[in-house]
Amino acid sequence: MIRHLLAVVCLAVAVLIGPEIGYVLDLIPGWDTVKSCITDTGHAARDTIRLLDLQELSRYNGKQGSPGVYLSILGQVFDVGKGHKHYGPGGSYHFFAGRDASRAFVTGDFTEAGLVDDVSGLSPAQILSLSEWLSFYNKDYILVGRLVGRYYSETGEPTEALKQVESAMAEGLELRAQAEADKQRFPPCNSEWSSGKGGRVWCSTQSGGVQRDWVGVPRKLFTPGSSSQRCVCVQSSGPSSSQQLRDRGDLDSPNLQEYQGCPSLAGSCLLTD
């Protein structure tokens, strides 16, 4: 799973920053495995890249008399002419044509105020999602140039704004990898509710979509610094994930709480609170 995520982001970052991978390589576990991919792709793009300004890009809006249909995402300009029915006049995504509306890919705000290239303030997870859109366009459409402005200088070099995006991508990848590891350790419970019987949570070897060889017992998992909680399945025997405790699995992990009125090692709990 993590290797798949690395491959996706590798392609996206390669297109974004070319060979200027800098300090961000050290931030991502396993990044050395995709380093050659980033460097080679970046050099290839640099040798053939075309620079466009905002005025020139705006001409490629797909309307009658325009030279084609382009869109930009994080300063990368793609020819989306083969998808004219989607990006041309009357198409569902025409608002992307002839501009860089990177922010809208994540926020879904397709008003004029939302169709902008400024992604400051977005979370690392949102930036990582944006990198996957970039990977999609790089795979399915033709990269034709770089947009001079927020993300690329007049000589086609990455700007400080792009380097900040790059750093956020690395953080987003780390957070996603950690979330996946946490899900493997504490898979979500199965749950059901009815007006007659109320709620019930229980565990199985496939609950939460996590295939495993243990069932576990339901527990409330609290997020540090937050009042939010969720039901997770906790391994109740054998060594803990930290290998520090024996024969109780992860039952003694912090931020876990038993369900009121439910036996400690029961595989199913009725919700009374």
Side-chain angles (χ1 to χ4, degrees):
M1 177 69 171
I2 303 305
R3 287 191 176 184
H4 171 71
L5 290 173
L6 283 170
V8 170
V9 178
C10 162
L11 182 58
V13 176
V15 174
L16 271 173
I17 62 174
E20 296 88 359
I21 50 180
Y23 64 91
V24 116
L25 294 176
D26 297 328
L27 299 177
I28 306 177
W31 192 263
D32 285 344
T33 62
V34 295
K35 182 174 181 179
S36 60
C37 166
I38 294 175
T39 305
D40 293 343
T41 304
H43 280 301
R46 178 65 58 84
D47 291 341
T48 59
I49 213 67
R50 168 187 170 193
L51 299 178
L52 300 87
D53 59 24
L54 288 171
Q55 183 176 2
E56 184 176 7
L57 177 61
S58 67
R59 294 175 53 230
Y60 288 83
N61 57 19
K63 295 181 180 179
Q64 186 173 3
S66 72
V69 190
Y70 289 178
L71 66 74
S72 177
I73 179 170
L74 292 176
Q76 292 295 311
V77 181
F78 294 90
D79 182 344
V80 293
K82 74 174 186 178
H84 190 277
K85 67 178 180 179
H86 302 298
Y87 298 99
S92 301
Y93 306 115
H94 178 59
F95 42 73
F96 285 130
R99 68 169 89 197
D100 189 318
S102 297
R103 192 178 190 88
F105 279 93
V106 175
T107 64
D109 181 357
F110 303 130
T111 65
E112 284 301 312
L115 291 165
V116 295
D117 62 352
D118 184 6
V119 298
S120 59
L122 296 182
S123 69
Q126 289 175 307
I127 295 295
L128 187 59
S129 175
L130 190 57
S131 78
E132 291 164 357
W133 275 109
L134 182 63
S135 179
F136 162 76
Y137 281 103
N138 188 64
K139 178 182 177 182
D140 285 18
Y141 294 95
I142 300 173
L143 174 67
V144 295
R146 290 176 176 172
L147 179 63
V148 174
R150 185 178 299 275
Y151 299 113
Y152 290 99
S153 70
E154 293 183 354
T155 58
E157 297 298 318
T159 63
E160 185 59 34
L162 186 57
K163 292 175 182 178
Q164 291 175 5
V165 169
E166 172 195 2
S167 180
M169 282 185 187
E171 185 179 352
L173 184 60
E174 287 185 322
L175 290 173
R176 184 178 289 184
Q178 183 60 52
E180 180 62 27
D182 290 344
K183 182 179 179 181
Q184 294 295 320
R185 182 186 183 192
F186 296 127
C189 304
N190 297 311
S191 64
E192 65 180 5
W193 184 90
S194 69
S195 57
K197 297 181 179 180
R200 180 173 78 97
V201 292
W202 75 98
C203 297
S204 68
T205 56
Q206 298 181 44
S207 55
V210 178
Q211 189 82 33
R212 55 193 188 276
D213 58 6
W214 53 273
V215 176
V217 296
R219 289 289 188 274
K220 297 177 185 178
L221 176 64
F222 289 86
T223 302
S226 171
S227 60
S228 64
Q229 60 173 312
R230 58 190 176 90
C231 181
V232 298
C233 296
V234 181
Q235 195 164 3
S236 58
S237 62
S240 70
S241 299
S242 63
Q243 299 295 317
Q244 294 179 348
L245 302 173
R246 299 287 178 178
D247 300 324
R248 282 179 55 82
D250 287 313
L251 288 177
D252 297 310
S253 297
N255 306 316
L256 292 176
Q257 186 179 101
E258 293 184 13
Y259 280 92
Q260 184 177 357
C262 186
S264 180
L265 297 180
S268 175
C269 295
L270 296 178
L271 303 181
T272 60
D273 55 351

